[in-house]
């Protein structure tokens, strides 16, 4: 498939997932739990969540790897495929920085795995530094051109991880990424005091990370956030339950 090849998504999971981002009331964000395998995906889907968002950290840990490009792409896409196959709701996949794959190949592999969307971050895994914003926007535009409407594209902004930790820096990148075709912008680790400013400045939905000690998903929604995800938190909490079970068995 060439980079210019377009995929259509009439009535597909991408359509459903994209629609879930719009028309939401304040305080009612799209809450997307992060399954790390098929069994956890079924649990979340059976609980009534309308879509799921795989976390690279949770999947990597479940496969025995460190997060941050340590998981072989074949194993990551295999895990995404098993999760998507296990449920009847759309699944969006965290594919980190895209594993060095050309846009067309990345899109093809996501679609073959059954994903309805993806996260792409703007940290260069080779250097650990932020990708120059215009270059990242070009990358996102290439993914959008290859996918057409068949993927919901969530552009992660890493300025709060390793850049200038200001709303202005996040908004600058977010505007570029939205113009390149991103459906949603994800300023990961943005302080709650910055979220409203960021959300008001962008013309697309904003994703926020919910972790222990941060406001609830609904409180984040009241700040202007449209979508809430959890990274590897839910997998970590599940492991704590397993540790408790293991500890009880050793007494």
């Amino acid at each position: 498939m060439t980079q210019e090849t377009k995929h259509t998504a009439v009535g597909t999971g991408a359509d459903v997932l994209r629609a879930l981002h719009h028309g939401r009331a304040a305080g009612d964000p799209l809450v997307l739990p992060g399954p790390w395998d098929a069994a956890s995906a079924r649990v979340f889907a059976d609980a009534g969540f309308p879509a799921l968002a795989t976390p690279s950290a949770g999947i990597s840990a479940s496969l025995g790897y460190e997060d941050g490009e340590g998981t072989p792409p074949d194993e990551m896409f295999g895990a995404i495929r098993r999760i998507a196959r296990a449920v009847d709701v759309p699944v969006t996949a965290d594919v980190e920085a895209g594993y060095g794959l050309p846009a067309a190949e990345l899109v093809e592999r996501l679609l073959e795995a059954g994903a309805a969307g993806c996260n792409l971050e703007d940290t260069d895994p080779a250097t650990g530094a932020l990708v120059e914003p215009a270059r990242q926007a070009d990358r996102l535009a290439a993914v959008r051109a290859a996918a057409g409407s068949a993927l919901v594209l969530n552009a992660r902004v890493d300025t709060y991880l390793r850049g200038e930790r200001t709303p202005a820096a996040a908004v600058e990148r977010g505007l570029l990424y939205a113009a390149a075709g991103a459906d949603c912008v994800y300023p990961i680790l943005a302080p709650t005091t910055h979220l409203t400013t960021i959300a008001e400045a962008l013309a697309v939905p904003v994703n926020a990370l919910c972790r222990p000690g941060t406001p609830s998903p609904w409180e984040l929604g009241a700040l202007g956030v449209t979508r809430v995800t959890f990274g590897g938190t839910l997998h970590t909490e599940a492991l704590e339950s397993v540790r408790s079970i293991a500890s009880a068995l050793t007494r």
Side-chain angles (χ1 to χ4, degrees):
M1 186 187 77
T2 66
Q3 184 166 302
E4 290 74 23
T5 300
K6 298 288 189 6
H7 295 273
T8 59
V10 177
T12 65
D15 288 326
V16 173
L17 179 60
R18 188 173 287 109
L20 287 169
H21 287 74
H22 298 283
R24 308 197 71 89
D28 180 33
L30 175 60
V31 179
L32 299 177
W36 52 92
D37 60 13
S40 60
R42 288 195 186 102
V43 169
F44 292 130
D46 288 347
F49 290 97
L52 307 175
T54 70
S56 64
I59 289 179
S60 295
S62 72
L63 295 173
Y65 298 99
E66 295 294 328
D67 190 29
E69 301 285 332
T71 304
D74 286 350
E75 294 194 45
M76 180 62 74
F77 288 111
I80 295 166
R81 182 179 298 106
R82 290 189 292 274
I83 289 168
R85 186 177 58 208
V87 296
D88 293 326
V89 298
V91 173
T92 180
D94 179 358
V95 289
E96 304 177 83
Y99 308 110
L101 298 172
E105 184 178 352
L106 177 62
V107 167
E108 193 70 19
R109 297 198 70 171
L110 283 163
L111 295 177
E112 287 175 351
C118 71
N119 279 14
L120 281 175
E121 62 192 51
D122 58 1
T123 292
D124 183 341
T127 66
L130 287 169
V131 176
E132 194 276 325
R135 184 158 68 90
Q136 181 68 6
D138 288 344
R139 165 77 158 163
L140 294 167
V143 172
R144 172 56 66 216
S149 62
L151 289 173
V152 175
L153 184 54
N154 189 31
R156 202 178 92 174
V157 176
D158 285 0
T159 53
Y160 286 98
L161 277 171
R162 48 185 55 85
E164 181 185 339
R165 296 172 174 83
T166 65
V171 167
E172 178 186 10
R173 285 178 177 262
L175 289 172
L176 280 174
Y177 300 167
D183 295 283
C184 188
V185 171
Y186 181 15
I188 189 170
L189 296 181
T192 54
T193 52
H194 294 186
L195 287 172
T196 300
T197 299
I198 295 170
E200 289 178 348
L202 299 177
V204 296
V206 169
N207 186 154
L209 177 66
C210 184
R211 300 186 300 168
T214 65
S216 72
W218 304 277
E219 291 169 326
L220 291 171
L223 297 174
V225 167
T226 299
R227 164 172 160 164
V228 176
T229 52
F230 301 86
T233 296
L234 302 180
H235 175 260
T236 299
E237 291 180 349
L239 282 184
E240 288 303 317
S241 295
V242 174
R243 287 190 182 94
S244 295
I245 294 170
S247 177
L249 292 174
T250 62
R251 292 176 182 174

